[in-house]
Amino acid sequence: MDISVVIPLFNEEESLPELAAWIEKVMVENNFTYEVIMIDDGSNDNSWDVIEKLSQRNPNIKGIKFRRNYGKSAALFSGFDAVQGDVVISMDADLQDSPDEIPGLYRMITEEKYDMVSGWKKKRYDPFIKKITSKFFNRTARAVSGIKLHDFNCGLKSYRKTVVKSIEVYGEMHRYIPILAKYAGFVRIGEMVVQHQARKYGKTKFGIERFINGFLDLLSVTFISKFSKRPMHFFGLIGTIIFSLGLIAAVAVGANKLVAISQHISAPKVTESPYFYIALIAMVIGTQLFLTGFIAELVSRSSSERNSYKIEKKTFE
Ligand code: UDP
Ligand code: MG
């Protein structure tokens, strides 16, 4: 099978028939063999009935229904788990992403040998506030991950099948799938400018908490991918630096006092020096960071995933 299209959706009953017909048209015109996997993320409208009807009419359309709303990442994860096609395309259900981009995204994987290609909504039709914050997120994500993408969270993306089978999208990490892919060892990550439309039916499913969550998730994805297998390298380093500063300050304060005593000049009390307090606090914080590092090491040692690596090839079975 050439292509699997994965569509996470939550209350999108009005869009689905149009979307399915459009995808079908593109697939037939390009002679692709395909499947469309629609994941109903616990909708409380008629989305599931619509999916069942669509799939009766066209068996290439398949549905998965969650009992409750788990979020877009969970829906993507279940879709990725089920796909069979060589190339996997993810897209939103609200008709903001255009199925006409599918052939281009497919070719960048098969012909230009990218592992993953992210859409770039260069001209996007979203509220002003979202465009601004999104610029900031993308810039930060580029800086911490070193991946040169303009639009990390574009719903429209294509992947080689092994990529989606090797990454685990959880929580709200769908915003940072390129970073997850990179840390799973897939470095050929490309970008393609895609058309974007204003939402035709219904309204956005994310509130303002998306901005805070997006920021916190960026911190965790960076930390986890860089340090989860060796937390002491993070905490230990900062702990050592801070503790050493404290130690230097303490020695300076003590030496000052001793020199004064030995020369019989009246020295001020050590507690009158600001360095005394700096020394005190820095040594306490440094020690705490160290202990945090040790505990984090113990936690990661007992994790069942501590020795799970993504193996690409072997010369034996
Ligand atoms: N979505 C989902 N579960 C959720 C929230 C959203 O499956 O809990 C789907 C939604 O139906 C749509 C896609 O994720 O297909 C993108 O959501 P939306 O269009 O609301 O986001 P925006 O375009 O505002 O970023
Ligand atoms: Mg949308």
Side-chain angles (χ1 to χ4, degrees):
M1 184 186 298
D2 299 327
I3 301 184
S4 295
V5 183
V6 173
I7 306 177
L9 63 109
F10 178 59
N11 293 347
E12 310 278 7
E13 56 179 356
E14 305 98 325
S15 314
L16 295 178
E18 216 169 301
L19 181 68
W22 192 353
I23 294 176
E24 220 177 302
K25 183 177 138 264
V26 171
M27 296 297 184
V28 171
E29 279 174 7
N30 291 276
N31 277 322
F32 288 133
T33 51
Y34 73 102
E35 65 180 351
V36 178
I37 302 187
M38 297 186 166
I39 305 97
D40 179 347
D41 184 12
S43 299
N44 37 43
D45 65 356
N46 283 324
S47 294
W48 181 248
D49 296 337
V50 176
I51 294 174
E52 277 186 331
K53 287 215 186 69
L54 290 170
S55 99
Q56 273 161 18
R57 224 184 19 81
N58 176 354
N60 292 330
I61 298 180
K62 303 169 185 174
I64 298 176
K65 181 170 170 56
F66 285 169
R67 199 172 288 281
R68 69 168 181 85
N69 178 236
Y70 285 100
K72 187 177 177 184
S73 292
L76 280 173
F77 177 84
S78 304
F80 288 164
D81 196 41
V83 293
Q84 295 169 2
D86 301 332
V87 171
V88 179
I89 307 242
S90 68
M91 63 192 298
D92 289 355
D94 55 1
L95 294 167
Q96 288 195 271
D97 300 330
S98 160
D100 289 334
E101 309 286 358
I102 292 175
L105 286 166
Y106 174 80
R107 262 171 234 124
M108 281 185 74
I109 302 285
T110 53
E111 285 164 25
E112 295 176 46
K113 306 286 174 219
Y114 282 100
D115 292 322
M116 154 173 197
V117 178
S118 180
W120 173 14
K121 300 168 294 218
K122 200 166 182 180
K123 178 145 185 48
R124 69 189 285 185
Y125 298 85
D126 276 321
F128 178 71
I129 174 80
K130 196 175 151 196
K131 287 198 237 180
I132 293 289
T133 43
S134 156
K135 278 223 168 71
F136 164 78
F137 274 127
N138 282 305
R139 180 164 307 168
T140 320
R142 263 200 304 280
V144 299
S145 68
I147 306 171
K148 301 276 166 274
L149 289 182
H150 292 88
D151 192 359
F152 280 77
N153 188 19
C154 185
L156 188 53
K157 289 187 168 64
S158 62
Y159 312 82
R160 193 178 299 289
K161 181 164 67 179
T162 46
V163 177
V164 303
K165 302 287 185 191
S166 324
I167 58 176
E168 203 171 322
V169 193
Y170 66 95
E172 291 189 16
M173 290 301 175
H174 60 267
R175 297 196 180 92
Y176 302 114
I177 297 181
I179 304 186
L180 298 179
K182 179 177 171 186
Y183 286 112
F186 299 100
V187 288
R188 289 190 55 84
I189 300 178
E191 183 166 61
M192 186 179 114
V193 174
V194 295
Q195 294 293 324
H196 190 236
Q197 275 82 235
R199 200 179 233 283
K200 197 163 171 187
Y201 307 102
K203 54 179 195 305
T204 177
K205 304 301 182 302
F206 295 99
I208 46 163
E209 72 281 1
R210 78 187 310 159
F211 302 122
I212 302 156
N213 295 347
F215 178 69
L216 295 176
D217 284 346
L218 181 58
L219 292 184
S220 8
V221 76
T222 325
F223 182 79
I224 290 175
S225 29
K226 287 206 167 128
F227 293 110
S228 70
K229 289 221 156 71
R230 46 192 186 94
M232 195 58 188
H233 290 187
F234 176 78
F235 292 107
L237 177 68
I238 307 185
T240 309
I241 293 173
I242 295 184
F243 187 90
S244 315
L245 290 177
L247 195 64
I248 292 170
V251 169
V253 170
N256 216 357
K257 182 81 182 178
L258 288 180
V259 169
I261 291 173
S262 67
Q263 298 183 345
H264 305 290
I265 9 179
S266 78
K269 290 193 181 119
V270 287
T271 52
E272 273 166 22
S273 160
Y275 291 107
F276 173 74
Y277 297 99
I278 292 176
L280 206 65
I281 292 175
M283 283 160 76
V284 171
I285 294 180
T287 315
Q288 283 184 337
L289 282 168
F290 242 98
L291 291 179
T292 310
F294 277 128
I295 293 175
E297 282 289 336
L298 290 180
V299 172
S300 83
R301 246 175 88 97
S302 44
S303 146
S304 60
E305 274 155 36
R306 65 184 177 278
N307 272 333
S308 73
Y309 309 105
K310 308 282 177 239
I311 292 171
E312 194 180 356
K313 285 178 192 154
K314 278 183 183 170
T315 59
F316 60 93
E317 253 330 302

